[in-house]
Amino acid sequence: MTNTQYHHVYSPSRFWRKIGPRALGIGRSTLAKALYLFYAAQSPSTPKWARRVMYGALGYFIFPLDAIPDLAPLVGYTDDLSVMAAALATVAFYITPEIKQQAHQTLEKWFGKPAGTSVADA
């Protein structure tokens, strides 16, 4: 399976519908990777080939039929995470510090600051 075979499944609205009600169950780490890909795909400086990889990974993430069902406790998102990790390794150059910051700001809105973060770190 390649990351790009699911790019036709991806749309921004389907992405937000997938994570909205499931954010807590998906977890901060998996969502961070999804948001890196999401925001990098929106960047005008990201080339088309990299966007296809990103959309493929995000398409797999939102596709309702997975290798491991997302509702399975503890392991449900491991296949999604591995596909996103492979995509991130492929397009790492396009995940800029600004994109990471944007993703982390979104995560802070949803979950608050990560545990162990002090006021001085903000």
Side-chain angles (χ1 to χ4, degrees), residues 34-64:
L35 290 170
Y36 291 166
L37 293 169
F38 177 80
Y39 289 128
Q42 309 306 311
S43 173
S45 63
T46 302
K48 287 183 182 182
W49 72 264
R51 284 189 187 147
R52 282 193 298 273
V53 171
M54 294 170 189
Y55 291 148
L58 291 170
Y60 184 82
F61 177 60
I62 65 174
F63 195 62

Side-chain angles (χ1 to χ4, degrees), residues 7-77:
H7 75 277
H8 67 282
V9 176
Y10 172 79
S11 76
S13 62
R14 290 177 85 183
F15 174 77
W16 290 116
R17 273 187 303 209
K18 165 86 176 204
I19 60 176
R22 297 180 182 97
L24 290 174
I26 294 170
R28 190 179 195 113
S29 176
T30 301
L31 284 176
K33 287 164 184 53
L35 290 170
Y36 291 166
L37 293 169
F38 177 80
Y39 289 128
Q42 309 306 311
S43 173
S45 63
T46 302
K48 287 183 182 182
W49 72 264
R51 284 189 187 147
R52 282 193 298 273
V53 171
M54 294 170 189
Y55 291 148
L58 291 170
Y60 184 82
F61 177 60
I62 65 174
F63 195 62
L65 301 174
D66 284 355
I68 301 172
D70 293 340
L71 300 175
L74 301 174
V75 297
Y77 289 98

Side-chain angles (χ1 to χ4, degrees), residues 82-103:
S82 61
V83 168
M84 287 189 287
L88 284 168
T90 303
V91 298
F93 181 77
Y94 303 102
I95 310 299
T96 64
E98 294 79 19
I99 287 168
K100 288 181 180 181
Q101 180 63 32
Q102 192 174 10

